[in-house]
Amino acid sequence: DTAVSQTPKYLVTQMGNDKSIKCEQNLGHDTMYWYKQDSKKFLKIMFSYNNKELIINETVPNRFSPKSPDKAHLNLHINSLELGDSAVYFCASSQEDRDGNTIYFGEGSWLTVV
Amino acid sequence: GNSVTQMEGPVTLSEEAFLTINCTYTATGYPSLFWYVQYPGEGLQLLLKATKADDKGSNKGFEATYRKETTSFHLEKGSVQVSDSAVYFCALSDPGSSASKIIFGSGTRLSIRP
């Protein structure tokens, strides 16, 4: 059973389109995230939700809008796609315990904007 | 604030060589420390972790010891294999801060020659 699953894995689309990436976790975690990984493998946090509430919203264009219908799902919608949005987007989840947070990642969604 | 610094790559070694990837951190509290591995075309997977000073995390022949006196968590492996080729990320989580404060290093790409 996949713990954090995201779809689609690959997405090629034209500039100006709107697209969504879906994410689900079956770990019972309270916190979910979206990260963006650029071509140099640098990971940047975009959003974080805790129990469906937005708690981190980094400097991300407002064309990116996360939606969390329940604590097991966090979807990412992107409007008016631009060439610079091409990247790998990772969904993740975590649960805070006495050890801090161990974060679990999905397998990534490779977005290419042409 | 908290931060993680890891050695820049790429690191290229021959099979069966000894590996060290350096990681140092700054933190205001008592963080938990992690190493994640990202194989080509995949998401990040937890490799090992340590939650307090002098703890040693280990998995798949990799080890890292939490050194509070040098604020380090260097990753080591005695004899690397071609299958270890991947990008390695050091990370910290501070239990005293908000649930989403997981800080990643910039990643180190490791290539192993047969």
Side-chain angles (χ1 to χ4, degrees), chain B residues 41-110:
Chain B
E42 297 183 14
L44 280 75
Q45 303 171 27
L46 178 66
L47 181 60
L48 54 84
K49 71 178 187 181
T51 59
K52 60 184 187 298
D54 300 325
D55 267 2
K56 178 187 282 188
S58 60
N59 186 22
K60 299 182 181 179
F62 290 90
E63 291 182 341
T65 301
Y66 189 141
R67 301 275 186 214
K68 195 166 187 303
E69 63 278 12
T70 53
T71 61
S72 64
F73 192 55
H74 304 323
L75 183 68
E76 296 182 337
K77 186 174 185 182
S79 175
V80 291
Q81 307 300 314
V82 171
S83 57
D84 294 325
S85 298
V87 181
Y88 292 81
F89 292 88
C90 187
L92 74 79
S93 165
D94 187 347
S97 63
S98 77
S100 297
K101 291 296 184 186
I102 300 171
I103 310 293
F104 285 88
S106 55
T108 302
R109 186 185 298 274
L110 173 66

Side-chain angles (χ1 to χ4, degrees), chain A residues 8-65:
Chain A
K9 182 157 185 175
Y10 300 103
L11 183 55
V12 180
T13 188
Q14 289 189 326
M15 274 173 42
N17 283 350
D18 303 339
K19 291 293 176 187
S20 292
I21 307 172
K22 296 186 175 180
C23 180
E24 175 181 6
Q25 55 97 1
N26 64 6
L27 297 167
H29 289 167
D30 289 336
T31 306
M32 294 186 73
Y33 312 79
W34 278 107
Y35 282 84
K36 180 180 179 180
Q37 186 176 48
D38 63 24
S39 57
K40 295 184 178 177
K41 301 295 184 184
F42 185 72
L43 267 175
K44 179 183 173 184
I45 190 165
M46 300 173 70
F47 302 104
S48 173
Y49 271 71
N50 185 266
N51 269 315
K52 302 193 298 175
E53 272 192 49
L54 180 65
I55 52 173
I56 283 184
N57 184 355
E58 293 293 313
T59 308
V60 174
N62 57 15
R63 299 181 294 104
F64 290 78
S65 53

Side-chain angles (χ1 to χ4, degrees), chain A residues 97-111:
Chain A
D97 56 27
R98 62 188 176 91
D99 293 337
N101 270 298
T102 300
I103 191 167
Y104 295 88
F105 286 85
E107 295 204 342
S109 294
W110 270 251
L111 172 65

